[in-house]
Amino acid sequence: MDTYDLITRNAEEVVTDEEVRELAADPEGKRTYVGYEPSGVLHLGHLLTANKLIDLQEAGMEVVVLLADVHAYLNGKGTFEEIRETAEQMKAQFIAYGLDEESTEFVYGSEFQLDEEYTLDLHELELSTTMNRAQRAMAEIQGDETAKVSHLVYPLMQTLDIEYLDLDLAVGGLDQRKVHMLAREKLPEVDYEVRPALHTPIVADLTSGEGKMSSSEGITISMEDSTEDLAEKVNSAYCPPTRDPEPDEDGNERENPVLELFEYHVFPRFEEIVVERPEKYGGDLTYETYESLAADLESGELHPADAKGTLASYLDELIAPGREKLHELRE
Ligand code: NAL
């Protein structure tokens, strides 16, 4: 696969394509990052961006993982001590999942976000940003609660971090796009450079195929799940024999979450996928590409129940090392 294709595979959006092509022409030693509000247990949402980081490491880039402790605090996720503790657990799970320890730098936000120079730069951004603009940038991150002043500071700090971590490419889920757009607009205003951004898709809710899979509602798959939990969750998933399901009765768009998980989580991490079937049902099926598996689901060659069973066992393999790490940490 050429470097541009590796960098952009499974990306929902790149901003701008021209800037990312330039980066792909000479990726060696370039720095990219994802920031996460620390949480004790990683779920598939975290792992989607982690897959992208693994692609970028393969392309020769250095990866910075920002453990965004101050951001989590501003977003009401607990006391500062609690957040620091969960950040440590998060780091251990990322490494267990497969981020290369040599080329991954883990940084706590609080290591630099409380410095005088940073604070003054932040105030300069506060001066040049309307409340309305900051609030709009946060809409998808903040959830439903009433915005506090802290929620307006949050996207401005995320903007500034791109400069302070000296990054060449910002990576995040599609829910981060408005912050990254704010950053592209604001950084030049305070005499810093614009950086390209790459956004990963958001996986649909497992049981309905609608909206997004989230830890606050519906079913999420996390590193805490046992093999049995996983089998049960995946088995309950919505999986019509198509890539493009009809909207529901109320006109809400639907996706096929089982196919999405194959596409975004399984195929990027395995050379080939084997669907084990007894001889009397046609024997094993082997797939090297997502497209061939999806085509077989659509034609009826691959039964949804077999697709689900296979998905559950590959996901189990992916999360097993992190699950063990979590158990060790808790002993
Ligand atoms: C991501 C988050 C917080 C701070 C960041 C700073 C720089 C780059 C990325 C960052 C967390 C993210 C979330 N906003 O919603 O999880």
Side-chain angles (χ1 to χ4, degrees), residues 33-37 66 68 71 113 141 154 157-158 161-162 165 175-176 180:
Y33 79 101
V34 178
Y36 300 96
E37 292 183 23
L66 177 72
H71 282 85
Q113 291 161 349
I141 295 173
Y154 182 118
M157 287 181 57
Q158 192 163 332
D161 293 346
I162 298 175
L165 293 169
D175 54 347
Q176 306 297 312
H180 289 151

Side-chain angles (χ1 to χ4, degrees), residues 78-318:
T79 68
F80 209 68
E81 279 68 41
E82 287 163 357
I83 292 167
R84 281 306 285 258
E85 206 167 294
T86 55
E88 275 303 312
Q89 294 181 19
M90 188 177 215
K91 177 175 165 181
Q93 291 168 78
F94 271 123
I95 292 170
Y97 181 65
L99 277 186
D100 175 37
E101 235 181 318
E102 296 278 295
S103 55
T104 309
E105 184 186 331
F106 287 89
V107 180
Y108 282 97
S110 55
E111 284 172 40
F112 62 95
Q113 291 161 349
L114 305 172
D115 292 351
E116 184 173 323
E117 192 196 342
Y118 185 97
T119 305
L120 283 173
D121 266 354
L122 177 61
H123 292 334
E124 188 180 347
L125 274 180
E126 289 163 2
L127 263 173
S128 71
T129 310
T130 63
M131 293 206 279
N132 192 321
R133 183 81 183 75
Q135 198 172 350
R136 271 191 292 134
M138 267 309 269
E140 288 190 45
I141 295 173
Q142 181 203 331
D144 295 333
E145 62 174 316
T146 312
K148 308 274 175 37
V149 175
S150 66
H151 290 116
L152 303 181
V153 174
Y154 182 118
L156 300 181
M157 287 181 57
Q158 192 163 332
T159 292
L160 213 47
D161 293 346
I162 298 175
E163 170 66 28
Y164 273 73
L165 293 169
D166 192 19
L167 302 166
D168 301 294
L169 174 69
V171 174
L174 206 57
D175 54 347
Q176 306 297 312
R177 82 180 298 275
K178 287 187 176 158
V179 178
H180 289 151
M181 292 314 195
L182 177 77
R184 288 178 64 88
E185 181 184 318
K186 289 292 165 191
L187 286 175
E189 287 180 17
V190 292
D191 293 330
Y192 292 135
E193 252 175 73
V194 170
R195 291 4 181 259
L198 183 156
H199 300 129
T200 60
I202 305 286
V203 174
D205 177 70
L206 206 56
T207 35
S208 68
E210 294 171 9
K212 62 175 179 181
M213 186 188 276
S214 94
S215 42
S216 47
E217 287 166 60
I219 292 178
T220 324
I221 291 171
S222 81
M223 279 206 177
E224 227 163 14
D225 290 332
S226 66
T227 304
E228 296 73 34
D229 293 338
L230 257 173
E232 202 171 305
K233 287 181 179 182
V234 174
N235 192 39
S236 74
Y238 175 64
C239 184
T242 170
R243 279 179 250 210
D244 204 7
E246 298 285 319
D248 73 5
E249 313 78 77
D250 302 322
N252 298 314
E253 289 292 324
R254 279 197 285 206
E255 306 296 332
N256 183 324
V258 171
L259 284 182
E260 287 185 330
L261 295 178
F262 268 115
E263 183 174 17
Y264 303 140
H265 284 283
V266 178
F267 278 97
R269 298 290 308 276
F270 295 92
E271 297 283 324
E272 60 172 32
I273 308 304
V274 180
V275 177
E276 293 181 8
R277 291 193 308 193
E279 282 306 326
K280 65 173 173 174
Y281 295 121
D284 292 356
L285 293 165
T286 303
Y287 298 104
E288 286 175 17
T289 64
Y290 162 72
E291 283 70 28
S292 57
L293 182 145
D296 271 8
L297 186 76
E298 291 192 326
S299 74
E301 173 68 21
L302 172 62
H303 192 276
D306 288 329
K308 288 180 185 181
T310 305
L311 176 63
S313 71
Y314 280 91
L315 288 178
D316 188 53
E317 199 173 320
L318 284 174

